[in-house]
Every structure is written in C-alpha cells, then in structure tokens.
Amino acid sequence: MPDTPSAPVILGDEPGSFPHSVLAERHPAIIRQVREAFPYGPGQHRALDELLKSCTEGVIEPLPGDAVDRERWHAWGLDDHVGRSWFDVPWLWSESYFYRRLLDAVGHFGPGAWQGIDPFRPFKRAELDAPETDGELAALDALQDRPERERARALLHGSLWGNRADLGFRLSATGTEAAEPAPALVADDSEALWSLLPPSGMGALVLVADNAGRELVPDLLLIAHLLAEGRIGRAVLHVKPYPYYVSDATTADVVDALRRLVAAPGAAAGYGRLLWTAMADGRLTVRAHPFSCAPLPYADLPDDLRTDFAAATLTIVKGDLNYRRLVGDRLWPPTTPFDQVTAYFPGPVAALRTLKSDVITGLTPATEAALVAAEGRRWRTGGTHALIQVNASRHAQRK
C-alpha cells in the first residue's frame, strides 16, 4: 500500500478484545451449532472435538498430506504459523484457517458421502425462507412507480444494510438500532458511486459478494436494477468457492436466492427472471476464485483478478470481511484516508459495509468524535453503523 503509513496488524491475543472473543467464544459456538445441525458420524464428532480443543487451547496444525489445496495454503503462509497459538497470528489468517479446518472435520473435501455438503446450509436456508424475506420482497412492489433515482437509492441501501443478516455475526451480536447522536451512516460516497454508473452508461460491474440469504438477495436486486436501467451492460458476481465464515455466499447460495426470487409474487419475480435470463445470455457471470477464501489482503491480488478488476467500470466490495481485506486488517487511525489505503487497487472501487470489526478508515474527525462520545468502541463492532466509501482515482486517471 504505497505512501501509506503502517498500522499494527490485528491479532487475537488481547483478552477482552473483539478478535479474542471471536476466537475464544464465537468459534466454539460455531462448532457446537454445526455438530447439532447434521447427523454426523463418530469420526466427524471426534474431528470436531479435536478442532475445538486445538482452537481454544492448542496450536495451529498443518493440513492433511492429501489436502487438494495444501500447496495453496503453504503459499498463503501456513509454514509461518504452524505450531503457534491461534491467538498469536494475524486475526484474518486465524479466522480463515479455522473455517478451512472445520470443513476438513466434517468431511467436506472428501472423499466420502459428506463430500461437498455445506455445513452451514441449514442456517442459510432458514434465513432465506424466513417470513421476513417475504415482507422484504413484497416491499419491491411499492418501488415500481418511483423515479429511477429513488429506486436505485433504495436498492443500494438494501444491499448495504443487508449485511445485518450475517449469521456468524449474529451468534454473538445483540441489538441493531443506531444510537443517537452518532450517525448510522458514518461515511456516504453514494453520489460518487452513482457518477461511475450513469444511466445508459452500459459499463461493467464487479460485485464481490459477502453473505448469502437476506444479504445476497438485495445484492442481486441491485444488479438486476442496474442491468434493467442500462447503468451497466454486464456484471460479474464473485462468491466463495466453498463454504466460509458461516454465511458467506457460494454458487449454490446464488441459485437458492434466484429460485427464491423467481418463485416470489410481484416485482420480485420480474427481477428474478431478468437475472435468470442474464445468466443464460452472459450479461451476469458468477465467479468463484480460490483467492476469495485466502487469508490475505486484496493488496496481494493474483494477476488474473487484478486484470479483471482493472477492466471493470466499478468494483463493489461488500461486507465487513471484504472491507478488512480491502484496506488491510490493521488498526488504522479512523481518519486515515480511504483513498490512501486502497491506492493499490487496480480500478475504481466502492465499499458497502456495516461495521462489525475494529478496522475503519476514511472518517472525518467530527464523525469519529461523535461516535466515540456516544458509544466508546462499541460503534466499531455492533453492526449498527454502516458506510459507503468510493475510491474513483483510477477512473479519473483513465479519463
């Protein structure tokens, strides 16, 4: 990240800190929920017990010798972390490796009868099928007679605040109401975002998805609107190649969400049919790149992804985890300019994120002061605040 002063990488070694609570409390809770969600056999129960003991009391262990992605994880730093406490390595790396080992424990990578089974699918499906989803989809009907600008704004904010449905976060979160006088939206570059996607612009959008279920649906609705109104001519939706962070979207989750839309009444079905057709004719493409599950910042993008993002009119990066990877999972001073920490990105980039971790950049001093005065540090992790941040400097250079 050129010309940007460094900040300490976030670890999970400080008792009482948010990262420490994730490693010490949330991960064991996830293991228990996964164990109870499926009729796993004795071997899987033993493996889950071993993972629980390892991640709370033990050290990081290597992948099995026959792991298909063993070399990839070695390239991602596994050799540097084996034998160390989960709490003493970068938090982003520790979290990511936990989910990789959880999939091993339940036999996701096989061979065997459980190969390819998503251990988080019951949680995702329960949320997607919840009555609240029906109400959210029905609300689309009231938008149809509104001016395009209003519909676009409503769908953008639906995509932004949909992150509240993050299932992993909900295991330990309480309350989602914004506190006053601190602003709910701590940064709002939405006008800059729309300037990159003008009507009849027919540009190319890349959307890096975060969660499945009731977050992925509004992401898809936003893409459908942009396609229908000619703000983009094509879109690429990046999802995870395998289950990750409980609720992160995979290709199977995209299919579930599209089926939910197509089967809904009213305007939702129209959006669903548009997206279904767009996938068939190539205007909407789903991509599941291995780097999407890497425990690394986007500053380490592989060349093929860098080329894809460089060619996009705009890349929208969704969610808290992707924000951490975009700006670097570090304790930046909150007023560190967003443009500086994303200067490496190969094209215009926008972040849509509700705040669920300590990482934050791009705030004004007045906004930071109001948040701290109202909530201490809680505003960083409570999911009650959100941001829309845009770095369009690469766009300016192209012109």
Side-chain angles (χ1 to χ4, degrees), residues 109-326:
F109 292 108
W114 293 93
Q115 185 176 20
I117 300 298
D118 184 346
F120 312 125
R121 181 171 172 79
F123 316 131
K124 296 175 181 178
R125 287 296 318 186
E127 183 197 273
L128 188 62
D129 295 337
E132 291 84 355
T133 306
D134 292 325
E136 291 166 359
L137 294 180
L140 292 171
D141 294 339
L143 280 178
Q144 297 313 296
D145 295 330
R146 310 300 297 175
E148 189 276 337
R149 184 178 179 86
E150 290 186 27
R151 284 181 283 133
R153 182 181 184 278
L155 292 171
L156 178 67
H157 280 260
S159 179
L160 170 66
W161 289 104
N163 298 27
R164 287 179 170 177
D166 181 336
L167 298 172
F169 173 72
R170 279 168 46 185
L171 291 177
S172 57
T174 57
T176 56
E177 295 304 316
E180 296 294 344
L185 198 58
V186 301
D188 184 4
D189 293 342
S190 54
E191 290 304 314
L193 186 152
W194 293 127
S195 73
L196 294 167
L197 301 173
S200 302
M202 298 299 287
L205 174 73
V206 171
L207 194 151
V208 183
D210 189 31
N211 297 316
R214 285 167 57 204
E215 178 187 347
L216 184 59
V217 166
D219 291 346
L220 290 170
L221 293 172
L222 178 62
I223 290 173
H225 175 84
L226 296 175
L227 285 169
E229 297 297 330
R231 285 181 177 265
I232 58 173
R234 58 187 177 87
V236 179
L237 178 67
H238 282 260
V239 296
K240 302 300 189 296
Y242 51 77
Y244 193 60
Y245 277 71
V246 180
S247 53
D248 281 28
T250 64
T251 302
D253 298 316
V254 175
V255 174
D256 284 344
L258 285 176
R259 285 176 172 159
R260 184 76 160 88
L261 285 172
V262 170
Y271 281 118
R273 288 191 295 269
L274 185 155
L275 291 165
W276 201 283
T277 300
M279 289 191 70
D281 63 27
R283 286 177 295 150
L284 173 58
T285 304
V286 177
R287 190 171 186 196
H289 194 285
F291 189 78
S292 293
C293 288
L296 303 174
Y298 288 143
D300 296 332
L301 283 170
D303 291 342
D304 59 336
L305 278 182
R306 186 174 295 277
T307 298
D308 285 357
F309 293 154
T313 306
L314 175 65
T315 296
I316 295 178
V317 174
K318 281 293 309 294
D320 195 79
L321 172 60
N322 284 323
Y323 187 86
R324 291 164 57 191
R325 297 184 69 191
L326 179 65

Side-chain angles (χ1 to χ4, degrees), residues 339-359:
D339 285 0
Q340 285 187 18
V341 295
T342 57
Y344 69 90
F345 204 81
V349 62
L352 271 60
R353 173 222 186 185
T354 51
L355 278 57
K356 301 174 192 169
S357 67
D358 288 307
V359 179

Side-chain angles (χ1 to χ4, degrees), residues 29-47:
I30 290 170
I31 291 174
R32 289 192 293 269
Q33 289 203 356
V34 167
R35 181 198 301 273
E36 294 167 1
F38 286 93
Y40 290 128
Q44 288 153 315
H45 282 281
R46 283 194 297 271

